[in-house]
Structure formats: structure tokens, C-alpha cells
Amino acid sequence: MDLDLTPGQEAFRAEARAWLAAHVPPVPPRSLETREGFAEHRAWERTLAAGRWSAVTWPEEYGGRGRSLLEWLVFEEEYHAAGAPARVSQNGVCLLAPALFAHGTEEQRARLLPPMASGATVWAQAWSEPEAGSDLASLRSVAVRERGGWLLRGQKTWSSRAAFADRAFGLFRSHADPGRPPHHGLTYAMFPLDAPGVTVRPLGRLDGKPAFAELFLDDVFVPDADVLGEPGRGWRVAMSTAGDERGLTLRSPGRFLAAARRLVALWRETADPADTALRDRVADVAVRARAYQLYGYGVAARLAAGGALGAEPSMNKLFWSELDLALHETALDLLGPYGELADTAGDAPEGGRWADGYTFALAGPLYAGTNEIQRDIVAERVLGLPKGRGGG
């Protein structure tokens, strides 16, 4: 693979870098896990959309630039290197939008994508239930047929962004198929979080911020127009969403490359050069971040040549979730006790950025399908090992 960018791609990088230099807020917005910070991040989404940078690979008619996956990787490198804010619209842009392009109708794309790109509609993810997480097919929430649509009933939990978002997408059991595998008879539905019958109850993470919410659905009406894909075959749509969640689009290499560079700079500023053990850990995560960048280029080139992904998103998810944790653990060990101060503490290093990132990284091996499940997938589908755990 040729790792040199074309003159057009270099020009694209320069354009992105110049725009970000002119528009990234000099003072970072507050945490998006607070109501005030959420509003500030939504305003940033509007700024991004005005520059047509909020959805780089989408067709222009929906608010994008019609650029390639490789150019999106380039943009992401510049975005994170510039210290731009986290994307509050990530669930919509990175997860729902690819499913809409693959399985939605033209009416759905025309109605839902432009407000998603502009930040006018922020989406929450409503997959997990109290007894259905990585084993998503065991979900119990239902969609009952009603004239012109469906009535949603049940409970969703750990719904990211749901505390302050506008709409949510999730999976519901709509058809009873006795004797068939549990992933049959599911329907993929989208619904407003302020619709009659929806109760949103925020859930705090370790630092108390409501990063998630649980949703209680009591006969929430969803018109047929807000069902994505064929009713009863929502598993197929959900799996394409899960593939995007575990793959490059949710956790781009640029994010980790920028964090690794910050870590190297932190080591140079604060570390004892004689501490070779810590030095080696810094070097290790920096190399892993660079390897992930090169892997991303390889995937983009292969897809552009007509290739396809198999179980790779599972390997991808294992890699970036463990890398993220290693990056932040190393940073906190470098910073010592002060590294644990939250963003509300005045003397927190980098405004508490490393501590906040560590709190988030702790969840990496759990969300988007636990790493144990991903290892099962890799063992069975990539290595051809026997199915099941400890059965022998």
C-alpha cells in the first residue's frame, strides 16, 4: 500500500487544519455529560456543520462533503490533534447514519440525516436492557402492532447520551417465533425521547455525571416511517450498527494518536528519565497508537478496492479499548496523585482531561459488546476454534 497522500488529499488535510485552527474554541467546552456542557457541545456541532465538517463522508445533499474513508481518517487526525471537542452527535453520525444509508428508505435519509449533521437532532443509543447487554438477542422490550405503526413497551438501560438527547434508536421484539433463534422477530425502531409514554431517568457514572440514562417505555407510538429496515428483521440492521460501533468509525485512530502524542509530551515534561519502566510503557502505547493508524489506512484502502470486513470489527474493538485504557493508566501514573483530580478541581492537570478520559476508558472493555464476547467471535470466526466457553 502506498502511504503517501495524493496532492488532493494533502490539500484536504491543509484545508481541515486551517479551518480547525480558526474555529476550535480556545477554552474547551464543559463536560458533555452535564446539561450546560451538552448545550455547548451542540453549539460546536452547529459550527462544524456550517463548515461542512460534521459528516465528511456523507453525500453533499445530506450535509456532507462526499469524501472518502481515507480522507475521513485524515480529517480525524487533524481534528484530534487540534484538541477539538468530543462529538455529542457521535451516536447519530457514526452509528445510526451508516445503518440509514445501508437499510433506510430515501424518505428516512432525507428527513433524518440533515438535522443529524447540523446538530439539531442528537441521538441516543437504546440497546441494552437490564437482562440484555452483550447478549442483545435476549432483550424483552416489545413492539406491538398498531394501526399505522407500533407501540413500544419495556425498559432500556445504559443508554448513552439519553439524559439530554432528542431521539433514540433501539431494537424490540415484534414477532413471536417459537422454536427459532432469539435474534429472529426483532424490529429496529426510532423514537423521540419526549414522546408520550417515555420516561428518561439519568444514570451517573463514577464521577456522578449523568453519562447514561435508563428509559421506560409505556405504549410509545412509533409510526411505520420510523422503523428502519423490514419489521421482524431488525437483527440484520443492528449487526451493521454494531459493526460500525466496534470498527473504525466510533474510535478513529486519530483519537489515540493525539492522546499518545500528549502522553509523550507529558513524559518529557514531568518524568524522571531514570524511570525506564515508565518510559517503556509510554513507548509501548505510542507504538500501538501508530500501529492502529497504519491499520486504519490499510482498511480504508482495502474497502476502496472493493473489499469487505468480516470479524475485523471485533479485533478492532479489542485493540482500541485496551489501548485507551493503557494510555490513560500510564498518564495517571506519570501525574501521580494530582492526576486523579476531576475537571471541577482548579489545580487538576490539563483541566482534569486525563482523569476524565480514564473514567471513560474503564468502560471500554464493556460497551459495544464486552471484550469477552469479542474474543469469542475472533476465536470462532477468525481462528476457527470450537464454539463455547469451558464446555469440555
Side-chain angles (χ1 to χ4, degrees), residues 139-159:
L139 62 84
R140 296 184 178 182
S141 294
V142 298
V144 179
R145 200 72 177 103
E146 175 77 354
R147 176 177 295 186
W150 301 81
L151 293 176
L152 306 183
R153 298 170 186 158
Q155 179 185 355
K156 299 289 183 179
T157 192
W158 304 117
S159 296

Side-chain angles (χ1 to χ4, degrees), residues 60-72:
E60 293 185 17
E61 63 192 284
Y62 302 126
R65 284 177 169 253
R67 307 306 290 248
S68 68
L69 180 59
L70 177 58
E71 287 166 320
W72 174 78

Side-chain angles (χ1 to χ4, degrees), residues 70-384:
L70 177 58
E71 287 166 320
W72 174 78
L73 288 168
V74 169
F75 171 72
E76 284 284 298
E77 288 176 13
E78 295 300 323
Y79 188 89
H80 291 283
R87 299 291 305 275
V88 74
S89 64
Q90 187 169 266
N91 285 330
V93 173
C94 298
L95 302 181
L96 177 58
L100 282 166
F101 282 120
H103 304 281
T105 65
E106 182 47 48
E107 186 279 330
Q108 288 175 327
R109 288 190 282 270
R111 175 166 53 91
L112 300 173
L113 290 174
M116 188 189 299
S118 71
T121 303
V122 176
W123 289 79
Q125 189 183 39
W127 292 123
S128 297
E129 299 186 1
E131 297 182 53
S134 293
D135 183 16
L136 185 60
S138 64
L139 62 84
R140 296 184 178 182
S141 294
V142 298
V144 179
R145 200 72 177 103
E146 175 77 354
R147 176 177 295 186
W150 301 81
L151 293 176
L152 306 183
R153 298 170 186 158
Q155 179 185 355
K156 299 289 183 179
T157 192
W158 304 117
S159 296
S160 54
R161 304 280 187 274
F164 309 117
D166 306 296
R167 292 175 65 89
F169 55 90
L171 211 55
F172 298 85
R173 190 164 303 284
S174 58
H175 298 68
D177 281 329
R180 303 199 69 180
H183 61 274
H184 286 257
L186 302 174
T187 293
Y188 194 118
M190 302 170 283
F191 55 95
L193 288 169
D194 61 354
V198 177
T199 300
V200 179
R201 184 179 298 170
L203 286 172
R205 60 180 187 183
L206 284 175
D207 59 9
K209 293 174 182 142
F212 308 97
E214 53 185 347
L215 308 176
F216 297 89
L217 308 171
D218 184 13
D219 284 344
V220 178
F221 179 74
V222 171
D224 289 326
D226 278 347
V227 168
L228 182 53
E230 184 180 345
R233 302 191 66 183
W235 185 256
R236 179 166 169 260
V237 185
M239 288 304 97
S240 68
T241 301
D244 288 309
E245 185 176 24
R246 295 164 190 161
L248 289 174
T249 53
L250 185 66
R251 296 287 174 261
S252 69
R255 179 178 186 269
F256 303 104
L257 205 59
R261 286 171 177 158
R262 286 173 47 225
L263 180 64
V264 171
L266 184 66
W267 185 85
R268 286 175 172 154
E269 293 167 6
T270 64
D272 176 1
D275 189 347
T276 55
L278 197 50
R279 181 204 60 186
D280 290 351
R281 288 173 59 195
V282 172
D284 176 68
V285 292
V287 168
R288 288 158 66 185
R290 172 68 169 151
Y292 188 41
Q293 179 196 30
L294 297 177
Y295 165 79
Y297 287 166
V299 169
R302 184 151 43 85
L303 292 177
L309 295 176
E312 282 187 54
S314 292
M315 293 190 289
N316 207 36
K317 197 265 175 174
L318 283 168
F319 191 88
W320 60 246
S321 61
E322 293 181 354
L323 171 59
D324 202 19
L325 201 50
L327 273 164
H328 287 87
E329 286 175 339
T330 307
L332 293 194
D333 286 344
L334 260 171
L335 291 166
Y338 281 93
E340 298 179 14
L341 293 176
D343 57 356
T344 50
D347 50 355
E350 294 192 38
R353 191 175 179 186
W354 285 112
D356 186 68
Y358 175 68
T359 304
F360 189 81
L362 282 173
L366 299 175
Y367 67 79
T370 65
N371 282 9
E372 287 79 6
I373 294 294
Q374 305 317 307
R375 286 191 170 87
D376 278 351
I377 293 172
V378 172
E380 295 166 16
R381 301 181 192 174
V382 178
L383 304 176

